[in-house]
Amino acid sequence: MVVALLSLAACSSDDGPAAPLDDPTATGRELVGEFVTVLQGGDPEQLDAFLSDSFQLMRSDGSVATKSEYLASPPQVGEATISDEVVVTQDGDVVVVRWSIDVDLTTDDGAAAPGFAPRLSTFHFEDGDWRVLSHANFAAIE
């Protein structure tokens, strides 16, 4: 599936905490798809709005970033395919998504290896919307 801009209207509301999701897997797939789409768009304001103020990143090489550090040097994301397997759990206002992606990606450290690479993303329901709270990249599986 090539990632396209996805509407999250079904999983957000204007106020109050997140309700239990009717289909956590579908919502998790939408959330990671939105994350990839925002990165592909390269709009720093949109990325800033989608990341929680508490955002943290850890890459497979052990490098880390806070929200401000990540915004200062976001990855360049090209064509991407999310794997069919997406595993989602929800605990109140937190959704954890385990997924894999084959992506044309370049960071300050260079280009990512080709092939599906595991990811672990945590989303928090804040001010009526889902925000990326944390994200972990792992090396592509050979």
Side-chain angles (χ1 to χ4, degrees), residues 108-133:
D108 287 344
D109 297 329
F116 280 95
R119 302 288 191 254
L120 186 64
S121 302
T122 306
F123 297 85
H124 185 237
F125 195 75
E126 300 174 9
D127 301 322
D129 287 310
W130 290 101
R131 307 274 187 240
V132 184
L133 185 61

Side-chain angles (χ1 to χ4, degrees), residues 9-60:
C11 64
S12 63
S13 65
D14 289 336
D15 51 11
L21 301 171
D22 291 334
D23 187 347
T25 300
T27 300
R29 180 175 289 283
E30 289 177 6
L31 289 168
V32 297
E34 180 71 9
F35 187 28
V36 172
T37 300
V38 167
L39 290 169
Q40 287 171 321
D43 181 345
E45 290 180 12
Q46 189 177 20
L47 181 57
D48 182 37
F50 196 56
L51 300 179
S52 169
D53 288 342
S54 299
F55 175 80
Q56 287 193 49
L57 168 80
M58 179 174 272
R59 293 189 176 102
S60 61

Side-chain angles (χ1 to χ4, degrees), residues 7 28 45 61 83 95 118 136 138:
S7 169
E45 290 180 12
D61 66 0
S83 68
V95 169
F138 301 91

